[in-house]
Amino acid sequence: MSDPVLVRVRRATRPGRPGELSRRRSAAPASAALLDAIERIGVLAAFALFYAANAGAHRPLNLLVVATDGLTVLFILVRRPARAVSRSPADWIIAALGTLCTLFMRPGGESLLAPAVAGGLVAAAALLNIAAKFSLNLSFGIAPANRGVQTGGVYAFVRHPMYLGYLILTAVFALMNPTGFNLALMAVGVAAQFERIRREERFLLTDPDYRRYAQQVRFRLLPGLY
């Protein structure tokens, strides 16, 4: 499979026919803006349904997951524009599954985790996601995109700390609400997250700054393991 096509905003260097220069300048921003709008609307709709399903379920730990995912939605809504966005449909599908599988889950079943264990894991994932999002400083989205290389905060230890938080939240919510539907989504979400990391790395390694960062921070999720 070939590398994803990048949507880049470039300054034209050669004159062309009347109107051609403005079209070249506007085509890429228009495409990127459309993809950006689709992403935001989709995430907001999925979160609204997830919130509605959990609001009356009388499961306090579920609401902690809802609050954590709500922060993700907020950062997507206020993020800065990307310098480059993948236009590969497969990249978008994999990224959406990795991020949104938890939002597709619904309350149900008897928890397989003790409340203290579940609460501790959700809190740890929430703190990890919050630290990662603030480290990114509004440079956050779902599909592979280049919004500038971030090397500070928790990104000084692993390259994808936020995805580790997603993996924990997805697994914990499914185990707290262990219906067949949720467990199937957990399997899909975990597989998609690892594939998402692989695809995002391929996308970002086209940037010399990210290649230098990857040489300095060797591990993707867990120091010493992966």
Side-chain angles (χ1 to χ4, degrees), residues 68-204:
T68 303
D69 280 325
L71 184 62
T72 297
V73 174
L74 175 62
F75 270 74
I76 288 175
L77 294 177
V78 301
R79 70 187 175 203
R80 63 164 59 100
R83 296 188 318 200
V85 181
S86 171
R87 294 181 63 185
S88 163
D91 283 354
W92 278 78
I93 292 170
I94 293 295
L97 288 174
T99 300
L100 301 177
C101 266
T102 305
L103 297 183
F104 297 152
M105 295 179 184
R106 294 296 179 263
E110 294 295 328
S111 178
L112 301 177
L113 299 174
V117 173
L121 289 172
V122 173
L127 291 174
L128 181 59
N129 279 353
I130 290 170
K133 288 177 175 67
F134 278 105
S135 296
L136 284 175
N137 189 28
L138 304 185
S139 299
F140 172 67
I142 291 181
N146 189 340
R147 294 181 172 85
V149 178
Q150 306 298 321
T151 61
V154 289
Y155 285 84
F157 302 98
V158 292
R159 301 203 296 270
H160 300 283
M162 192 182 307
Y163 298 163
L164 176 59
Y166 288 161
L167 287 168
I168 295 172
L169 280 179
T170 299
V172 171
F173 191 91
L175 294 175
M176 289 193 304
N177 303 270
T179 63
F181 179 72
N182 287 344
L183 294 174
L185 278 178
M186 178 184 72
V188 171
V190 169
Q193 205 66 269
F194 280 99
E195 176 64 10
R196 176 190 194 182
I197 290 171
R198 186 187 72 82
R199 288 172 175 270
E200 188 165 305
E201 288 274 306
R202 183 180 66 181
F203 183 89
L204 292 173

Side-chain angles (χ1 to χ4, degrees), residues 10-71:
R10 292 175 177 167
R11 184 179 299 277
T13 57
R14 294 182 299 175
R17 295 189 302 272
E20 182 179 351
L21 178 59
S22 62
R23 285 197 299 272
R24 283 204 301 267
R25 286 181 175 174
S26 64
S31 178
L34 177 61
L35 292 173
D36 184 78
I38 291 171
E39 185 179 275
R40 294 186 194 210
I41 293 170
V43 169
L44 189 59
F47 177 74
L49 293 173
F50 185 61
Y51 171 80
N54 284 279
H58 306 293
R59 298 193 177 202
L61 290 177
N62 282 12
L63 295 178
L64 183 55
V65 177
V66 172
T68 303
D69 280 325
L71 184 62

